[in-house]
Amino acid sequence: QWLSIDITDGELEEDEEVIVTLLLDATGLVGGLYEAGIHFLSNDPDDPDVEVSVALDVEGAPDIYSEWETGAEENLIDWNRYYDEVYVDGVYPVQVRVSNIGTDDLSIENIESDNEVFTAEPRQFELDPGDEQVVNFIFSPTEAAELEAIMTIFNNDPDEEEYNIDLHARA
């Protein structure tokens, strides 16, 4: 329902006018041209059906969203919440669901961390509107330490081209 009208019926006296308000709402619409006709039906013998054309040209936009099992509300992935013990030279994946909640294709150009002990697989992919992809964020410690990092998802979301997720782990 991208088009709505504020009145659906009424009666006019001679020489009376009424303002009809149309509401065009592009929320959730995929990019493209939307067209409709509004019919004003009346008892006018000369024009019982007057049609007014309405067009809405929507430019879609991708919108990135991510979630994971523990800590998404804090925008933090903490490997010690997932694993009781994290050992040096181990490989510890955490699944992150990356979604396109927008109305145009989302292109994930690269996923990289500012610390090499954190990686992601896959690092590049495309998502249609409404689709999602599970990405494994992987912690592979090479020494005993407490580490903080940022995983950046480089993408074509117009307001979040560098989508950051905070990372923490203690090995």
Side-chain angles (χ1 to χ4, degrees):
Q1 285 282 13
W2 62 271
L3 173 63
S4 61
I5 189 168
D6 68 339
I7 60 172
T8 57
D9 61 10
E11 200 170 294
L12 296 174
E13 298 295 327
E14 185 177 342
D15 295 326
E16 187 179 10
E17 294 180 3
V18 66
I19 295 175
V20 177
T21 303
L22 302 178
L23 176 63
L24 308 178
D25 184 359
T27 302
L29 295 180
V30 175
L33 181 63
Y34 295 79
E35 298 178 292
I38 298 175
H39 290 266
F40 291 92
L41 306 175
S42 72
N43 62 352
D44 182 338
D46 295 329
D47 289 314
D49 183 359
V50 176
E51 182 179 3
V52 175
S53 296
V54 178
L56 175 64
D57 193 6
V58 175
E59 183 177 326
D63 190 7
I64 189 170
Y65 177 77
S66 66
E67 61 185 344
W68 50 93
E69 196 173 297
T70 304
E73 64 282 349
E74 304 168 30
N75 193 42
L76 172 68
I77 299 176
D78 184 342
W79 269 259
N80 302 104
R81 291 183 184 178
Y82 288 89
Y83 297 96
D84 292 331
E85 300 292 332
V86 178
Y87 297 104
V88 173
D89 295 327
V91 176
Y92 302 94
V94 171
Q95 291 189 337
V96 176
R97 188 173 21 262
V98 177
S99 304
N100 180 6
I101 60 172
T103 58
D104 201 359
D105 293 346
L106 176 66
S107 176
I108 304 300
E109 297 149 10
N110 193 20
I111 303 175
E112 64 182 49
S113 171
D114 60 357
N115 186 324
E116 63 190 21
V117 298
F118 296 97
T119 58
E121 281 299 323
R123 292 179 41 203
Q124 298 176 329
F125 50 91
E126 300 279 330
L127 292 175
D128 292 333
D131 282 352
E132 61 184 40
Q133 169 74 47
V134 173
V135 178
N136 284 311
F137 282 25
I138 302 164
F139 177 53
S140 303
T142 57
E143 61 183 325
E146 187 160 343
L147 301 161
E148 307 276 336
I150 296 174
M151 189 72 77
T152 302
I153 303 174
F154 296 93
N155 67 89
N156 66 331
D157 181 330
D159 61 348
E160 294 182 286
E161 293 174 348
E162 293 184 12
Y163 185 85
N164 294 318
I165 299 173
D166 297 326
L167 310 176
H168 173 264
R170 185 177 60 256

